[in-house]
Amino acid sequence: MNAIALNVSSARKAFGGLVAVNDVSFEVRQGELLGLIGPNGSGKTTMLNLISGALKPTSGEIALDGAPIAGLSAYKIARKGVARTFQLVRVLPSMTAAQNVMAGAVFGHRRLWGEDAMHLAHELLERVGLAGRGSLPVGAMTYIDQKRVELARALASDPRVLLLDEWLAGLNPSELKIGIALIEQLSGEGRTIIMVEHVMDAIRSLCDRCVVMSSGIKIAEGGVSETLSDPEVVRAYLGDDDA
Amino acid sequence: MNSLSQKEIIIGIGGVLAFALAACLPLVDQGYYLSLAVNITLYAALCTAWTLFSGPTHYVSLATAAFFGLGTYAVALWVDVLPFPLLVAFGALAAGALAGIVGAATLRLSGVYFVIFTLGLAELVRQIVTWAQATFTTRMGLYVFTDLREMHIFWMLLALTAVIFLTGWLINRSRLGFAMRIIGDDETVARHVGIDTAKSKIVLFIISGAFIGIAGAICAPRYGYIQPTSAFNPMTSFLVVIMALLGGTRKLWGPIVGVIPFVILMDFITVRFSNYMPVAMGLSFLAIVFLLPNGVTGRLEQAWNKFQSRKSAPSSTETAA
Ligand SMILES: Nc1ncnc2c1ncn2[C@@H]1O[C@H](COP(=O)(O)OP(=O)(O)OP(=O)(O)O)[C@@H](O)[C@H]1O
Ligand SMILES: [Mg+2]
């Protein structure tokens, strides 16, 4: 079995009285594609925020390749090799697509600059299906293309762990197919990925394992098909979600 | 992005010619026009230095007077014992150090706190200097006697402006400049791609502050007699903000577009209606914020883009969600 890439143990985040992530533990092995699912408001994005450093955990430990990262600044965690996309797509509106992607390569642990960074940016744009569109202003792109740019930016840092927050949300059926194939390809290349997703078909076809959260608590974990048929998981979804 | 584009070479040559031409001014006139040109160059230097930091970060700094005054005092205190160039360096160091401390303390705060803090800072430094002078010396001010004449000051300020431009241009091409553009677009993204946002801002604030300190040092011989109220005049801070915003802070050369007409107009107003100066300043500030939020150059850029897109129309009008 591969070594553990990311280890989350008893991570907790409280917003005042609301415990958004309640002592959640799980681990991701190198090269694994882990699905993180759960009804709306169950704490998935907050969990990713704790890993990426956007938020500091109230308590608990998170380790990347064995080294503790919980509570570090987001930029430090990024430099150690965690990259992410955002639930509501975040591109750099004043820049071209290629510059957006370059941003991921320049400051992370890769630290490319100049021609090298530009070259990588164009290469990655091609990977995500935007060949030859590098010089377009990103603000003039469609939603799915912006999502592609954001993914390319995350990949530009050559992350140890890639976090995708509902990267497939908002895509139409044909775009969805392309999106799933792209993630599958990344995973096939050995990337370690945690994907938060509501699209169950994607989880079924892509993930090795999944973790299910509900109201901040991890309620199930394991192989995808047995987890999704777990009565407690079914109840959590039927109780307050439509997925 | 390491070699120069043709456009950059043309702009570079044009810039050098413009500076060379301006440097000839003292040969033509040594009186009114030279003195006006000194004021224009001074504010060009101050506003461009201010924009190095405030342009990309959108933090409005009112600390200009503090940095400027420190530079002035560095010269005034030791002009009789140390060589002038060394004192200019002192001014840069003192102002840069102050900027570093202030930046480390406040740049994690939001923009509003920063404005107020920097305004308070300038006032605080002025009070401390006043107090120190009253306590340790018997005089109210300091005399600065040098053999530097108006034209020398003009040349030094012109050279300083050129150096600030060059620095700004180099920053724009560097990792730091790229980082600042990313921060300006989306600070959360900036942090998540590995940018130490606080450090980047502090470094830029230090560079900007140091240049303003140098400007203050260069101007000390011009004033001759230095008092805290004139060296740390808060008016300097406000004027710099107004002129830079008038010109526009998105481009390095933006502020100059505001500085030239404003200084000329200000000269006109102070001579004729000096009592109305504060009112005129307030009104122009409001007018700029409401009518030209991106400055004259921002407005021109907008018009230019519109013109370009009309020329290349009617292709795609697709917009992002
Ligand atoms: N910054 C915050 N301050 C206060 N409460 C927050 C904050 N961020 C999230 N929450 C709350 O924490 C809970 C979990 O939110 P989170 O965004 O992690 O859910 P999610 O599982 O990602 O939901 P969705 O599927 O809708 O994206 C919600 O009740 C939310 O309102
Ligand atoms: Mg979410």
Side-chain angles (χ1 to χ4, degrees):
Chain A
M1 229 185 203
N2 285 342
I4 293 171
L6 188 82
N7 185 18
V8 177
S9 69
S10 312
R12 182 184 189 86
K13 180 67 190 181
F15 297 110
L18 175 85
V19 184
V21 171
N22 195 342
D23 295 335
V24 172
S25 306
F26 62 88
E27 56 190 40
V28 192
R29 294 189 173 271
Q30 267 165 34
E32 193 179 19
L33 174 42
L34 179 82
L36 180 55
I37 61 176
N40 288 113
S42 55
K44 307 179 295 293
T45 297
T46 307
M47 187 66 240
L48 293 194
N49 283 339
L50 297 183
I51 298 172
S52 77
L55 294 172
K56 296 197 190 316
T58 309
S59 63
E61 280 304 325
I62 302 173
L64 179 70
D65 294 323
I69 57 167
L72 294 183
S73 318
Y75 81 89
K76 283 190 181 148
I77 294 177
R79 288 181 187 181
K80 285 178 187 289
V82 175
R84 70 175 293 177
T85 64
F86 295 88
Q87 184 165 352
L88 296 171
V89 68
R90 293 188 98 121
V91 287
L92 304 166
S94 79
M95 302 189 193
T96 65
Q99 288 170 327
N100 263 269
V101 180
M102 251 181 82
V106 174
F107 307 96
H109 63 159
R110 216 177 215 178
R111 294 191 73 77
L112 298 182
W113 185 235
E115 288 297 316
D116 296 337
M118 216 11 139
H119 188 79
L120 176 72
H122 285 290
E123 207 175 281
L124 286 169
L125 283 172
E126 200 176 323
R127 284 284 314 273
V128 299
L130 294 174
R133 317 260 305 269
S135 53
L136 280 184
V138 76
M141 290 182 138
T142 58
Y143 188 65
I144 178 173
D145 286 350
Q146 292 191 342
K147 287 203 138 190
R148 285 171 154 149
V149 169
E150 205 189 23
L151 178 60
R153 181 178 71 211
L155 289 172
S157 66
D158 189 18
R160 302 278 304 135
V161 175
L162 174 63
L163 312 174
L164 303 177
D165 196 352
E166 302 199 23
W167 191 74
L168 297 168
L171 306 190
N172 67 34
S174 63
E175 291 169 342
L176 193 60
K177 235 180 240 163
I178 302 169
I180 290 176
L182 186 57
I183 295 176
E184 191 165 25
Q185 198 191 347
L186 294 177
S187 174
E189 287 163 10
R191 275 235 182 268
T192 311
I193 303 174
I194 300 178
M195 62 183 282
V196 168
E197 204 49 73
H198 279 301
V199 182
M200 284 305 156
D201 286 344
I203 296 287
R204 281 199 192 88
S205 66
L206 287 171
C207 297
D208 310 308
R209 274 189 321 125
C210 66
V211 166
V212 189
M213 289 181 70
S214 177
S215 309
I217 299 169
K218 180 178 88 173
I219 56 168
E221 174 178 16
V224 175
S225 52
E226 61 260 34
T227 310
L228 289 183
S229 52
D230 182 320
E232 198 177 349
V233 174
V234 174
R235 203 176 322 122
Y237 267 96
L238 289 183
D240 46 356
D241 196 64
D242 52 1
Chain B
M1 52 172 56
N2 285 317
S3 58
L4 299 178
S5 73
Q6 198 169 357
K7 190 175 151 208
E8 280 173 319
I9 293 172
I10 293 173
I11 292 176
I13 293 174
V16 170
L17 286 179
F19 274 104
L21 196 68
C24 295
L25 181 87
L27 308 179
V28 183
D29 181 84
Q30 294 263 2
Y32 171 74
Y33 288 105
L34 179 60
S35 135
L36 187 64
V38 169
N39 280 336
I40 289 176
T41 322
L42 169 61
Y43 278 101
L46 292 178
C47 293
T48 312
W50 183 86
T51 302
L52 284 185
F53 168 76
S54 292
T57 59
H58 309 300
Y59 278 94
V60 173
S61 161
L62 289 176
T64 307
F67 303 142
F68 186 87
L70 279 187
T72 311
Y73 263 82
V75 170
L77 282 172
W78 296 296
V79 70
D80 297 329
V81 283
L82 290 170
F84 184 69
L86 188 65
L87 296 178
V88 173
F90 273 11
L93 282 179
L98 182 65
I101 295 166
V102 173
T106 60
L107 282 174
R108 284 160 228 268
L109 306 177
S110 81
V112 183
Y113 293 106
F114 183 76
V115 181
I116 296 166
F117 192 94
T118 51
L119 177 63
L121 173 87
E123 220 24 45
L124 179 73
V125 175
R126 186 170 70 92
Q127 295 293 349
I128 290 174
V129 171
T130 310
W131 171 83
Q133 227 166 31
T135 316
F136 301 114
T137 70
T138 49
R139 290 166 299 164
M140 269 317 290
L142 297 162
Y143 287 99
V144 178
F145 292 127
T146 62
D147 41 20
L148 295 168
R149 302 220 313 277
E150 188 90 334
M151 62 178 178
H152 300 119
I153 296 193
F154 174 65
W155 282 326
M156 285 191 284
L157 286 174
L158 203 59
L160 174 64
T161 310
V163 171
I164 295 172
F165 263 89
L166 200 63
T167 308
W169 177 73
L170 288 172
I171 289 174
N172 281 342
R173 291 162 56 90
S174 71
R175 272 199 169 85
L176 177 61
F178 190 41
M180 292 320 298
R181 279 189 68 189
I182 298 170
I183 293 171
D185 267 12
D186 189 328
E187 198 155 344
T188 303
V189 170
R191 280 195 281 268
H192 279 90
V193 295
I195 296 170
D196 186 345
T197 53
K199 190 177 123 195
S200 309
K201 289 183 209 163
I202 293 169
V203 168
L204 219 53
F205 196 47
I206 290 175
I207 295 173
S208 164
F211 278 131
I212 294 171
I214 293 177
I218 292 175
C219 285
R222 190 182 191 214
Y223 301 139
Y225 183 66
I226 312 286
Q227 280 181 299
T229 39
S230 59
F232 296 95
N233 188 352
M235 192 74 127
T236 314
S237 305
F238 287 106
L239 285 173
V240 164
V241 176
I242 291 176
M243 288 185 228
L245 291 184
L246 172 64
T249 59
R250 298 228 214 131
K251 290 273 186 309
L252 205 52
W253 49 272
I256 280 202
V257 176
V259 166
I260 295 173
F262 199 95
V263 172
I264 294 172
L265 190 73
M266 198 167 66
D267 190 71
F268 181 80
I269 293 177
T270 36
V271 172
R272 264 146 265 222
F273 322 98
S274 60
N275 290 341
Y276 297 103
M277 196 51 207
V279 180
M281 250 182 62
L283 285 179
S284 48
F285 183 74
L286 290 178
I288 292 163
V289 170
F290 282 107
L291 302 177
L292 290 168
N294 293 317
V296 175
T297 53
R299 183 52 69 85
L300 287 177
E301 207 177 338
Q302 239 172 23
W304 173 250
N305 288 343
K306 211 179 232 172
F307 172 73
Q308 287 281 310
S309 64
R310 198 171 297 162
K311 228 171 50 175
S312 65
S315 56
S316 73
T317 47
E318 200 174 43
T319 47

